Amino acid sequence: MAELVLSFAAQHINEDSDALIISVGSEARALSNDLVLLEKSLVDAGRTRQGMANNEQVQAWFIELRKIAYEAEDLVDSLISSTDCTAFSNLRHLKRARQASKKLRGFRERVKEIKSTLNKEGSSKKNLRVGLVSGALSLFQQAHQDLRADDGFVVGIEADVDRLVKMLLSNSQDGIAIVGMGGSGKTTLAKNLYNHREVNTHFKYKAWVSLSQNWDASHEVLLLSKIIEQIITGSSSSSSSSSIGANKLHRFDSLPSFHDQGDGDDGDGPSSRVLKKKKLQLQNLLTTESCLVVLDDVWDWKPFQKMLNELLQEPSTSSSDVFRQSKIVFTSRRLPSPADTHLNWAIHETKSLNEKDSWKLFKKMSRNDTGKKLDREYRGLAMEMLRKCKGLPLAIVALGRLLKRKDSIEEWERVFSQLKGDEGSHLYEPINDILALSYNELPHYLKPCFLYMGLLAEDSTIPAGMLKRMWIAEGFVKGQRQEGETSEDTARRLLQELVNHTMVQVVSKTYTGKVNTIRLHDMMRDICINIARKLDFLTLFPSDSDQVHSRRAAINLSKCSRALPNNTSLRSLLLSRKSSTGKQHGGRMNNQQGIMDLALVFEKFKLLRVLDINGIKTYDGTMPKELGNLIHLRYLGIRSTNIQVLPRSIGKLHKLLTFDYWDVTIDNEIRLPNVFWKLMRLRHLFLPNEMMSNTMADMRFDTLLDLQTLWGVKGGDWMLKEMDKLSVKLTKLFIQGISSALQLKAVFDSSMIEKYDNLHALCLDWYGFSLESESLRKLSSKKNLKKLRLMGRARNKPQLPLKFPSSLWKLELYYTHLEDSETLNAIGELPNLKFLGLSKDSFTGSQWTIRKESKFRCLEELKLSYLPKLNEWYIESDTMPHLKKLSIISCTGLKQIPEGLKSITTLETLNIRHMPTSFNNRFRGDEGKDFHIVQHIPNVWVKDSCTQLVY
């Protein structure tokens, strides 16, 4: 992380140097260049810090480098924050400028000294680094092997095994990639596939190869030789689980050299001739015989995918009946990249065990040899400890084996007391070591992105968009942009890399396939926070002490028993209040009422780049004018607050990139100052529902040339002159409360629709008039528009029916009052539509028949809500072939569910709420008249005014 601290400091110092007078600015730029050069040296050295971990002098240098970078950054930012500092135009600041230049020169000299010494130390310590890395790997391998569950103790994966065995025996895939975080049971699952009776019968030859973390393409001949050896000798065919360890390939860091294999090479490394020979030999085996090859614990996909692309090419002489009978199985912590291979992979992601299977595994692992069944006698205590494992198989095995050696309840209680406190952390050290390896293997630029998530609330679902915008504000993204990418594109790519590394868990995706929400597994979050604390990356209150060197802090005011932290150098501050109760605290906070004097925050932390205020209230519902002091702010989030008046000083935040003011919990209307036009770097603007119309009359957005998101803005006459001046980079637009046809027409006549095609999501809300079909047709040629929400009456002329863009993935209609069902069937012809929501009188016809011609070929979710006039609904066969979820909510006139629903075999969830009892009774239990229609659906949720039933 030292190289990242230098990189970010250099980046920010260079950005701000132009705001300083010449003498200070030149020194700042020179120091920035020095830091960049040192950062490159550290990146090139790879794992220099980990390799020299035992060298106290080297660690001290890294700490000093971080301190220098932080102090230099603080010096520059503080100068800019000072009154009139941007010009240093009067004598009062000249002395301070000279002092700053002198300090910056001193920083430069010290950086050069450390760089020189590090280069010498790095060279002399090369052998030490190799030994340390190798030793760490061997320790990991031993710990991992010791903690794996015995094959007889496998639980909760039976269904997965059956499904994956069917895939192996079919010709639909070239192989299976089993992917998951460390300790999630990937190898256990692979073992069960490898030793399955049907697999042993189906495949003539088998080979199992375990790979070390430092495997690379230079070991390719060794890998090929070992696979060929196992296949030819048959040593692994139909082997039992106990013999896998004896027959599988040793870790590559202990393999003999290639010339020991008897291939006659000169010992200087495998030649291309030998490599080609081995590839042809193995390719012949894989394409003429039925072989199963398991590659366990793959860390780097690229060399394997390149190799397998060559091995599994169909030879011109091969029989199509034989070809593809051979299969490859991978286990990995990273998802493979489909772009790097022509092969067809089935991806299986391991999941945490549910409570039932966790308990089953725990019982087997904790049962001791004396026959005592303490888990049965003290189940409550056992369950409390088991919950700490959060369904992670490796953690359950570790806990079970620990308790297996404890034969009294007193010893179990002692373990429980340790688990509740800090002293219990050593019990999971082997697991933490395994999970920490995933962090160590991250590319250097992903590490701060991962650590930043430690600031966010425990057990919370993290919105991906919010997280990416915070990364951008912190500067994590800027240095990683590729040609043609926006910062948002880069942040999205970095998040996907973290997902591919299985560092985070995807909770939901958009219908366009993008990550929507994520979470951290509890144990992975512990790793994240522990590493971040050691690096002074972040501080969490109230659990942490005040770390004066930390650059980021998260404070939960409902739990905090002290005043604000003393560290005035914070760059990110996340203030939240989750509880409705609290005690009176210092620092002018009143947690009992959820009230805080934000002026104190703004006065104390003037160097902030990220400020997120969630659930905090002010005394009078106004934002203090001191907000304008935060001139370095790039991200401002104000959510779930009572703040309804913003100061004009917000116009001083010239570096602001994101202003998120979407969710505000107040009863009164909100007043906004007309100063947004001053925030010329603004990229994302989210505004709340309750804005006063008169505050928008003269609103300007014409200077916001980089604006990508304008969400929730109130309609008004400003639209007549400003719509055509909005940024052509706009990708998301939501205008609410449009009150005239001229205002709505201005949207469709604007250059963003007439000339450009950058809009990805469009939401329009109007009242008092109808949308003309001619206007909507202007969207029909758009290829990038994926989400459309229309909220208002639409005039659907028979001679000119409504036409929606074929690019849509998600369509929501509210209050449109469509009467003709043929319009709905025309929607069914949209080739990419995956979500359709018809709500609140969007359809006022009495009958709707989904015909074969409509198809809805890609639809995955259909939501019908508050359509009281819909009485009859019919579904013809062969429609909606991919429907997974159907919701019917408060469609009180609907008599019964469509008979055609029973032919939709893909349906997984039926959600029925606020429907008449007579409707619900038709498919409740075996006696319900329509039960046969829904009995094939795995999850049926029915909730009426009194009860909720789950089938």
Side-chain angles (χ1 to χ4, degrees):
M1 277 289 291
E3 70 273 15
L4 290 169
V5 172
L6 303 187
S7 175
F8 297 144
Q11 175 182 310
H12 293 133
I13 291 170
N14 191 56
E15 284 178 358
D16 293 336
S17 60
D18 291 338
L20 304 171
I21 62 172
I22 295 176
S23 61
V24 182
S26 60
E27 289 292 345
R29 282 187 290 273
L31 176 60
S32 173
N33 293 334
D34 292 342
L35 292 175
V36 168
L37 291 174
L38 183 54
E39 184 253 347
K40 289 180 179 178
S41 298
L42 293 177
V43 171
D44 292 340
R47 297 176 188 168
T48 302
R49 181 172 185 179
Q50 290 144 323
M52 301 179 185
N54 293 337
N55 189 319
E56 293 182 2
Q57 180 59 62
V58 173
Q59 290 192 56
W61 284 329
F62 277 115
I63 292 172
E64 185 174 356
L65 279 173
R66 185 170 66 211
K67 183 179 179 182
I68 289 172
Y70 283 165
E71 287 186 4
E73 192 180 12
D74 288 348
L75 176 63
V76 171
D77 283 355
S78 296
L79 285 174
I80 293 175
S81 295
S82 300
T83 305
D84 296 328
C85 69
T86 55
F88 283 97
S89 57
N90 56 56
L91 294 176
R92 188 162 54 93
H93 294 293
L94 290 178
K95 181 178 179 181
R96 189 176 180 191
R98 286 194 294 270
Q99 292 173 342
S101 296
K102 184 177 179 180
K103 275 190 175 183
L104 290 170
R105 283 194 296 272
F107 289 151
R108 288 191 65 197
E109 291 172 3
R110 188 59 183 140
V111 166
K112 289 180 180 178
E113 290 175 9
I114 294 175
K115 181 182 178 182
S116 175
T117 313
L118 271 174
N119 288 338
K120 296 176 183 177
E121 190 74 16
S123 176
S124 64
K125 297 294 182 179
K126 183 176 180 181
N127 294 332
L128 172 62
R129 290 201 302 272
V130 173
L132 287 172
V133 171
S134 178
L137 283 169
S138 62
L139 287 174
F140 159 68
Q141 293 152 16
Q142 185 61 45
H144 201 173
Q145 290 294 331
D146 288 346
L147 284 174
R148 284 175 180 161
D150 296 334
D151 293 335
F153 290 155
V154 172
V155 298
I157 63 172
E158 295 83 357
D160 291 337
V161 171
D162 291 343
R163 184 171 60 86
L164 295 180
V165 165
K166 290 179 181 178
M167 288 185 181
L168 282 178
L169 303 187
S170 71
N171 291 324
S172 57
Q173 279 89 23
D174 298 303
I176 298 172
I178 302 174
V179 183
M181 65 185 291
S184 61
K186 301 183 295 295
T187 300
T188 301
L189 180 56
K191 281 185 179 182
N192 277 264
L193 295 179
Y194 192 83
N195 293 314
H196 197 278
R197 178 178 54 82
E198 292 184 45
V199 170
N200 286 335
T201 303
H202 181 82
F203 292 101
K204 187 175 181 180
Y205 301 110
K206 297 195 301 179
W208 178 290
V209 180
S210 291
L211 302 159
S212 74
Q213 194 178 348
N214 62 339
W215 193 93
D216 58 39
S218 65
H219 299 107
E220 189 172 349
V221 174
L222 294 172
L223 174 61
L224 298 176
S225 298
K226 198 64 183 183
I227 295 174
I228 292 170
E229 178 188 348
Q230 288 193 27
I231 291 176
I232 291 177
T233 61
S235 59
S236 291
S237 182
S238 303
S239 60
S240 66
S241 59
S242 61
S243 65
I244 286 180
N247 291 325
K248 70 181 179 183
L249 178 61
H250 294 293
R251 299 280 171 173
F252 277 118
D253 46 356
S254 62
L255 279 174
S257 62
F258 179 72
H259 61 270
D260 290 336
Q261 303 293 330
D263 288 281
D265 198 42
D266 59 7
D268 294 329
S271 67
S272 59
R273 179 180 56 81
V274 176
L275 180 60
K276 183 177 181 180
K277 175 183 175 183
K278 291 293 180 183
K279 283 185 177 178
L280 289 173
Q281 188 178 2
L282 184 54
Q283 184 186 38
N284 183 61
L285 285 169
L286 293 177
T287 55
T288 59
E289 304 288 353
S290 59
C291 306
L292 172 64
V293 178
V294 177
L295 300 178
D296 185 32
D297 208 12
V298 172
W299 286 81
D300 187 0
W301 276 100
K302 287 188 177 179
F304 286 103
Q305 294 195 151
K306 182 177 182 295
M307 179 182 70
L308 291 176
N309 282 342
E310 297 173 354
L311 288 175
L312 294 181
Q313 288 180 13
E314 183 174 4
S316 58
T317 57
S318 70
S319 167
S320 59
D321 293 334
V322 175
F323 184 63
R324 290 292 187 268
Q325 285 189 14
S326 293
K327 295 293 190 315
I328 310 291
V329 174
F330 282 98
T331 72
S332 178
R333 303 183 186 205
R334 293 191 60 184
L335 287 166
S337 172
D340 296 335
T341 181
H342 62 75
L343 302 176
N344 183 18
W345 292 102
I347 308 296
H348 175 81
E349 297 187 53
T350 55
K351 307 294 183 185
S352 299
L353 297 179
N354 59 32
E355 185 174 296
K356 179 180 178 181
D357 290 327
S358 295
W359 176 248
K360 186 177 179 181
L361 178 59
F362 173 76
K363 285 200 302 181
K364 291 183 176 180
M365 299 309 299
S366 62
R367 195 71 50 82
N368 61 31
D369 298 331
T370 64
K372 289 186 177 181
K373 299 179 180 179
L374 297 178
D375 56 281
R376 180 182 300 175
E377 298 174 33
Y378 298 95
R379 176 163 180 157
L381 178 61
M383 289 298 294
E384 285 293 320
M385 289 188 282
L386 188 58
R387 289 190 184 100
K388 292 274 186 179
C389 299
K390 299 294 181 180
L392 191 65
L394 194 68
I396 298 170
V397 171
L399 178 64
R401 288 185 173 172
L402 173 68
L403 294 174
K404 185 175 182 178
R405 300 191 295 269
K406 313 295 182 183
D407 56 5
S408 70
I409 192 58
E410 290 77 18
E411 290 180 287
W412 276 41
E413 288 175 340
R414 192 177 301 116
V415 171
F416 179 58
S417 65
Q418 290 177 319
L419 285 173
K420 290 194 297 182
D422 293 336
E423 60 186 15
S425 61
H426 72 280
L427 297 174
Y428 290 126
E429 281 181 1
I431 303 164
N432 291 340
D433 290 343
I434 292 169
L435 298 181
L437 270 176
S438 295
Y439 170 81
N440 293 335
E441 284 301 306
L442 285 177
H444 73 283
Y445 56 84
L446 283 183
K447 290 180 178 179
C449 298
F450 172 70
L451 295 181
Y452 199 85
M453 287 188 279
L455 286 172
L456 304 173
E458 186 176 4
D459 295 326
S460 67
T461 298
I462 303 171
M466 179 191 75
L467 179 64
K468 289 182 289 188
R469 290 187 284 272
M470 287 181 171
W471 286 350
I472 293 170
E474 274 273 8
F476 298 162
V477 167
K478 187 172 183 179
Q480 303 306 318
R481 283 178 59 182
Q482 298 178 356
E483 186 177 355
E485 279 188 338
T486 65
S487 297
E488 289 74 17
D489 294 334
T490 306
R492 186 181 303 114
R493 176 169 53 81
L494 297 186
L495 178 58
Q496 187 58 53
E497 285 191 45
L498 281 177
V499 172
N500 293 346
H501 279 275
T502 64
M503 301 298 291
V504 298
Q505 298 172 330
V506 177
V507 177
S508 66
K509 289 186 177 183
T510 67
Y511 283 98
T512 57
K514 297 175 183 176
V515 176
N516 187 38
T517 56
I518 59 173
R519 69 178 295 273
L520 280 179
H521 189 282
D522 286 27
M523 289 190 172
M524 191 62 82
R525 186 173 188 270
D526 290 342
I527 294 292
C528 172
I529 292 173
N530 288 337
I531 294 173
R533 283 169 173 162
K534 290 177 182 177
L535 296 173
D536 277 336
F537 187 86
L538 58 79
T539 305
L540 301 180
F541 290 89
S543 57
D544 289 352
S545 59
D546 193 352
Q547 295 172 270
V548 295
H549 300 299
S550 175
R551 313 297 272 184
R552 299 157 192 88
I555 305 175
N556 184 349
L557 297 180
S558 65
K559 299 178 181 178
C560 196
S561 59
R562 49 159 297 155
L564 289 169
N566 296 319
N567 181 6
T568 58
S569 298
L570 290 177
R571 294 311 198 272
S572 281
L573 178 60
L574 278 64
L575 296 171
S576 64
R577 182 181 178 277
K578 295 180 68 175
S579 174
S580 59
T581 61
K583 297 180 180 180
Q584 186 76 26
H585 302 307
R588 292 154 71 188
M589 301 178 195
N590 186 336
N591 284 6
Q592 188 170 3
Q593 301 175 19
I595 292 175
M596 179 181 183
D597 187 353
L598 291 175
L600 179 67
V601 176
F602 304 154
E603 286 288 352
K604 191 169 188 177
F605 306 112
K606 293 183 180 180
L607 305 183
L608 286 175
R609 295 193 185 103
V610 174
L611 175 62
D612 189 70
I613 301 170
N614 194 331
I616 309 298
K617 298 180 180 180
T618 64
Y619 290 103
D620 56 1
T622 63
M623 177 69 79
K625 64 181 181 180
E626 288 82 1
L627 176 65
N629 294 337
L630 308 183
I631 63 171
H632 299 286
L633 207 61
R634 273 84 163 172
Y635 179 99
L636 176 59
I638 306 172
R639 291 204 171 203
S640 301
T641 76
N642 69 334
I643 297 172
Q644 62 192 59
V645 179
L646 297 180
R648 294 191 62 83
S649 62
I650 196 174
K652 296 180 180 180
L653 308 182
H654 300 301
K655 296 182 180 180
L656 197 66
L657 302 175
T658 296
F659 181 34
D660 188 345
Y661 189 33
W662 170 245
D663 177 23
V664 182
T665 54
I666 61 172
D667 296 327
N668 300 321
E669 289 188 317
I670 292 168
R671 296 189 292 276
L672 297 177
N674 185 13
V675 294
F676 290 117
W677 62 272
K678 297 181 179 181
L679 310 179
M680 296 184 185
R681 295 178 61 182
L682 197 65
R683 301 170 73 88
H684 305 282
L685 178 58
F686 299 88
L687 296 173
N689 290 325
E690 296 82 5
M691 286 185 300
M692 294 180 66
S693 298
N694 58 2
T695 66
M696 299 299 301
D698 299 317
M699 195 63 68
R700 288 180 55 192
F701 300 106
D702 58 301
T703 59
L704 308 183
L705 301 182
D706 291 323
L707 193 66
Q708 296 181 24
T709 303
L710 180 57
W711 201 257
V713 63
K714 191 86 166 184
D717 288 340
W718 67 271
M719 299 172 64
L720 303 180
K721 54 184 178 180
E722 290 290 317
M723 281 306 305
D724 206 40
K725 300 177 184 178
L726 288 180
S727 168
V728 298
K729 298 179 182 178
L730 206 63
T731 61
K732 298 179 182 179
L733 176 64
F734 173 24
I735 305 178
Q736 53 182 324
I738 300 172
S739 57
S740 76
L742 284 177
Q743 294 172 8
L744 186 60
K745 186 176 184 297
V747 177
F748 292 99
D749 290 345
S750 64
S751 58
M752 80 175 77
I753 290 178
E754 291 275 13
K755 297 180 181 179
Y756 301 99
D757 187 14
N758 294 322
L759 271 182
H760 174 84
L762 176 63
C763 178
L764 299 172
D765 168 33
W766 67 93
Y767 63 92
F769 60 96
S770 296
L771 169 70
E772 298 293 339
S773 57
E774 294 91 336
S775 295
L776 188 60
R777 282 176 171 260
K778 291 185 177 182
L779 296 178
S780 60
S781 62
K782 301 304 164 187
K783 297 180 180 179
N784 291 319
L785 188 62
K786 305 299 182 184
K787 302 177 184 179
L788 179 63
R789 184 191 304 164
L790 300 178
M791 307 172 70
R793 281 185 178 269
R795 183 168 292 143
N796 189 29
K797 302 176 182 177
Q799 68 276 17
L800 194 63
L802 296 177
K803 186 175 183 180
F804 297 91
S806 60
S807 58
L808 288 181
W809 292 58
K810 184 174 184 178
L811 175 62
E812 297 176 274
L813 301 178
Y814 297 79
Y815 311 112
T816 49
H817 289 263
L818 301 177
E819 298 178 356
D820 187 2
S821 64
E822 290 306 312
T823 302
L824 301 185
N825 288 332
I827 294 173
E829 296 175 11
L830 296 177
N832 301 301
L833 194 67
K834 293 191 175 185
F835 178 95
L836 175 62
L838 301 174
S839 304
K840 298 187 176 180
D841 291 317
S842 57
F843 178 62
T844 54
S846 61
Q847 179 179 315
W848 181 24
T849 300
I850 300 181
R851 305 188 184 282
K852 292 180 181 180
E853 297 78 17
S854 304
K855 197 70 172 178
F856 287 97
R857 70 187 74 171
C858 291
L859 197 69
E860 295 181 4
E861 181 173 354
L862 175 62
K863 181 179 179 180
L864 307 177
S865 60
Y866 298 94
L867 306 177
K869 295 184 179 181
L870 179 61
N871 298 324
E872 299 177 355
W873 181 27
Y874 304 99
I875 298 176
E876 294 186 357
S877 59
D878 298 325
T879 59
M880 298 189 287
H882 298 288
L883 190 67
K884 296 179 180 179
K885 183 176 180 180
L886 171 63
S887 299
I888 303 174
I889 304 168
S890 196
C891 297
T892 52
L894 191 61
K895 298 176 182 178
Q896 66 183 70
I897 207 160
E899 181 78 21
L901 208 63
K902 66 181 180 182
S903 64
I904 304 177
T905 58
T906 57
L907 196 57
E908 298 173 356
T909 302
L910 174 62
N911 181 21
I912 295 176
R913 287 185 287 152
H914 308 303
M915 292 293 288
T917 303
S918 58
F919 179 88
N920 296 340
N921 287 339
R922 294 184 66 89
F923 46 86
R924 278 181 170 163
D926 296 337
E927 298 179 358
K929 294 182 180 179
D930 296 335
F931 179 73
H932 66 286
I933 300 176
V934 302
Q935 62 181 351
H936 69 290
I937 305 174
N939 302 298
V940 179
W941 301 81
V942 181
K943 182 178 181 180
D944 54 27
S945 58
C946 301
T947 61
Q948 176 171 315
L949 299 180
V950 181
Y951 294 94

